[in-house]
Amino acid sequence: MAIKSLRVLCRIEFPSKTFRMWDGAGPYLDANGDIWVGARLTEGLDQIESAMNGEASTLMLSMSGVDQAVSDLAYEDMEAGEVIDAKVQLLIQPCDEWDQPVGDPEVKFTGFVDNMPSDDSVSGDQVVSTLVLEVRNRFDLRTLVSGAVLSDVDQRARSKVLNPGAPADRFAERIPGLVDKQIVWPRFS
């Protein structure tokens, strides 16, 4: 089967429940029998693309038109202190010419919630809920204060804590070898 379209899916794993949302209208039933609720990703589509391409270490994800029951549960979890560090995944689901899923969705971004401000507004006689997720991923911890030095040992320890099943982060392994290096600028005559 040929892939004709893609769906952007967002899975949020709170301790009490897993929320599944997709960028569209109405419910969506996947091949595993899970129901994904329709929501509009109103802001941050360029941020989503950057996050999926590995170019962003943080993500601001805004979802409008979220079902009231989902919004209420998210608010209750926020009040209970269960939202911070909840796992967020952005997935891509390939679809055929009839918008039916082809294969399993592919995880493109995994991060953890830092904050979740929400807003409810009234449109006519309906309440429109908007959730904003401020999400960080494991590379967010690479940022340093001014003047600090990133060490290989520290980076490997961070990666072991943040992603225990993955190979060690080798990002800074050449840093110790650069300590005694001298850079000589070319002299042009």
Side-chain angles (χ1 to χ4, degrees):
M1 293 187 125
I3 296 172
K4 297 292 184 178
S5 65
L6 296 172
R7 286 191 177 147
V8 177
L9 309 175
C10 179
R11 179 173 43 220
I12 308 166
E13 297 176 7
F14 294 123
S16 63
K17 187 175 181 173
T18 298
F19 292 150
R20 292 175 178 85
M21 293 171 264
W22 73 286
D23 187 28
Y28 158 64
L29 181 66
D30 68 8
N32 297 327
D34 294 321
I35 297 175
W36 298 74
V37 178
R40 289 183 313 276
L41 301 173
T42 56
E43 295 174 19
L45 287 175
D46 55 340
Q47 288 185 12
I48 290 172
E49 182 180 0
S50 294
M52 287 184 175
N53 290 334
E55 299 168 0
S57 60
T58 59
L59 172 67
M60 182 83 73
L61 185 62
S62 178
M63 294 165 284
S64 181
V66 176
D67 183 72
Q68 188 63 40
V70 171
S71 177
D72 290 344
L73 282 171
Y75 181 75
E76 289 170 14
D77 282 351
M78 184 70 175
E79 290 297 310
E82 297 181 346
V83 167
I84 306 304
D85 291 331
K87 186 177 181 179
V88 176
Q89 288 186 318
L90 292 176
L91 305 96
I92 295 290
Q93 174 65 64
C95 297
D96 62 15
E97 60 267 11
W98 297 285
D99 270 343
Q100 298 302 308
V102 176
D104 293 328
E106 184 179 340
V107 176
K108 291 295 192 174
F109 177 84
T110 300
F112 302 93
V113 177
D114 264 348
N115 194 14
M116 188 184 70
S118 61
D119 182 38
D120 290 333
S121 59
V122 178
S123 176
D125 59 347
Q126 292 186 343
V127 175
V128 177
S129 297
T130 301
L131 292 177
V132 178
L133 295 176
E134 296 173 5
V135 183
R136 61 169 162 66
N137 73 3
R138 66 185 181 145
F139 297 109
D140 188 39
L141 293 180
R142 283 188 178 160
T143 58
L144 298 171
V145 296
S146 179
V149 176
L150 181 64
S151 76
D152 182 42
V153 175
D154 291 341
Q155 189 58 35
R156 286 178 188 263
R158 282 189 194 107
S159 72
K160 189 174 183 179
V161 169
L162 293 173
N163 202 355
D169 186 353
R170 298 174 49 195
F171 171 75
E173 73 180 1
R174 295 184 181 177
I175 299 292
L178 296 174
V179 171
D180 297 327
K181 293 282 183 183
Q182 215 175 34
I183 299 173
V184 179
W185 293 101
R187 295 183 183 153
F188 297 103
S189 29

